Amino acid sequence: MIAVMLRALVVAAALAAAVGVACSKPKVDPLQIDRGILTVSNTTSDTWTNVEIWINQQFRVTVPSIAAGSRFQVPLGSFVEGFGRRFEFSRMQIRDLRLIAKTSGGAPVELKKEFAKTGLDGIQLGGKQ
């Protein structure tokens, strides 16, 4: 009798865990690049103001605000450096992508895209890195 109850309890716990995982939303990367378009997702409850988005610490786009819970999309060709040259996605590599802004309360917002290492950079040789 105890074995049957224990088995039923284990099955119920496994079912509850599976339902919990299936119902949870996957975490959205706030900075996503797809086919030459950058999508910024503000999943917070604060509006971001005075938004600056930088590629390679050289090319920049500014946005007055991104509302809480909304997305902002911009073509990568819209990023411009100080001398007016535009970022050319087909010819240039993105090594660094970051966003800086302020919340409606004045707190700083700083996001940096983490890129997976590929090619020779992805090879880990002995020792700490």
Side-chain angles (χ1 to χ4, degrees):
M1 180 73 172
I2 294 177
V4 172
M5 290 179 65
L6 184 60
R7 186 177 308 145
L9 183 62
V10 169
V11 169
L15 183 59
V19 169
V21 169
C23 293
S24 66
K25 291 183 180 179
K27 186 174 179 182
V28 175
D29 186 3
L31 300 172
Q32 296 178 8
I33 300 171
D34 186 30
R35 298 184 191 142
I37 295 177
L38 171 67
T39 302
V40 178
S41 299
N42 180 355
T43 58
T44 68
S45 59
D46 286 320
T47 296
W48 297 340
T49 59
N50 301 324
V51 181
E52 293 183 9
I53 307 166
W54 291 83
I55 293 178
N56 299 341
Q57 299 180 3
Q58 180 178 359
F59 298 91
R60 179 180 81 145
V61 161
T62 61
V63 183
S65 66
I66 301 176
S70 69
R71 295 182 329 163
F72 168 74
Q73 291 186 312
V74 60
L76 295 176
S78 297
F79 285 79
V80 181
E81 71 172 355
F83 296 109
R85 186 174 65 145
R86 294 193 175 274
F87 183 79
E88 296 179 51
F89 181 63
S90 62
R91 301 180 70 173
M92 299 176 176
Q93 182 179 14
I94 299 175
R95 295 178 312 279
D96 184 74
L97 176 62
R98 59 185 71 211
L99 175 145
I100 56 173
K102 300 264 185 209
T103 64
S104 52
V109 176
E110 295 182 16
L111 302 173
K112 183 177 179 188
K113 174 86 171 162
E114 295 297 327
F115 292 101
K117 291 184 179 181
T118 60
L120 294 176
D121 288 339
I123 299 174
Q124 184 170 6
L125 301 175
K128 294 182 180 180
Q129 299 210 2

